[in-house]
Amino acid sequence: MRYLVAANWKMNKTVGETLEYLDRFLPSVKDLLSVDIMIAPPFTALSSASIRLDAAKKEGEYNVKLGAQNMYYVEKGAFTGEISPVMLNELDVEYVILGHSERRHIFGEKDDLINKKVITAVETGIRPILCVGETLEEREQGKTLSVVERQIRNGLAGVEKDMAFIDIAYEPVWAIGTGVNATPEQAQEVHRFIRSLINEISKGNDSNTRILYGGSVNEKNARDLIKEPNVDGFLVGTASLDPERFYKIITEVLEV
Ligand SMILES: O=C[C@H](O)COP(=O)(O)O
């Protein structure tokens, strides 16, 4: 299984800033093919980023893929403000982040909507990264594993046989954007649980499923986290906004 290091830029960077970032970042990862890299800019920058990546790939080897931060689950229609999988496919978007805690907690997305999006992503060949994770209150009440189990079982209903085409990101809500990451031990405990859960629901058909950790990952804590046996990569927010910091995190993963 190849590790995946993914950047979720959230609502950051204009088109100009995206192109400036890629100009600095891409040379550093040329010919770096042993780890999968994904960048998810805002929707408005996807087209420009796609063109820039395409041009780079004509001049050298890059294992950098584009991701979307969300999508709707139907092809087209009267859904003001939404983006469809067909629109993402046209831009060579290969990953989509679904069920991010900001979608769940700020915009009220529930498991059943997230599940519809996961199903559509799989059907249209866009690899979903299903995000799960508990709030601080849920952790303090000892509900971490039950919350994660519910989010995974509901989120993956109907796509159990396609598990190999799906990645999971464990992102404890209390660790996102706070500067307080889960300890390697805390991450490993939940990742081991997720691994056994997806083994069970996929009946063993999950050999390509990465379990990413997300939540205040940076160039200083990445090495200790990636050493854990069930941590298969990262979903990075804040630290991915700087190309040098994101590259440093990638190099920490390479060294394991
Ligand atoms: O998707 C990324 C996560 O929400 C982590 O964000 P963060 O690295 O800023 O904590």
Side-chain angles (χ1 to χ4, degrees), residues 191-208:
H191 282 229
R192 184 177 49 228
F193 174 74
I194 294 173
R195 175 61 66 199
S196 67
L197 189 61
I198 60 180
N199 261 331
E200 179 221 307
I201 64 178
S202 70
K203 301 188 170 57
N205 182 28
D206 66 335
S207 55
N208 291 318

Side-chain angles (χ1 to χ4, degrees), residues 141-196:
Q141 292 170 349
K143 293 181 181 165
T144 297
L145 299 185
S146 62
V147 167
V148 166
E149 178 169 2
R150 190 207 76 225
Q151 291 172 336
I152 289 182
R153 285 194 191 277
N154 292 346
L156 297 178
V159 286
E160 294 86 351
K161 67 178 187 332
D162 301 303
M163 199 61 228
F165 190 66
I166 298 169
D167 295 311
I168 305 283
Y170 169 55
E171 299 207 312
V173 179
W174 48 270
I176 295 176
T178 60
V180 180
N181 58 287
T183 65
E185 295 73 25
Q186 287 172 322
Q188 170 58 17
E189 182 198 7
V190 181
H191 282 229
R192 184 177 49 228
F193 174 74
I194 294 173
R195 175 61 66 199
S196 67

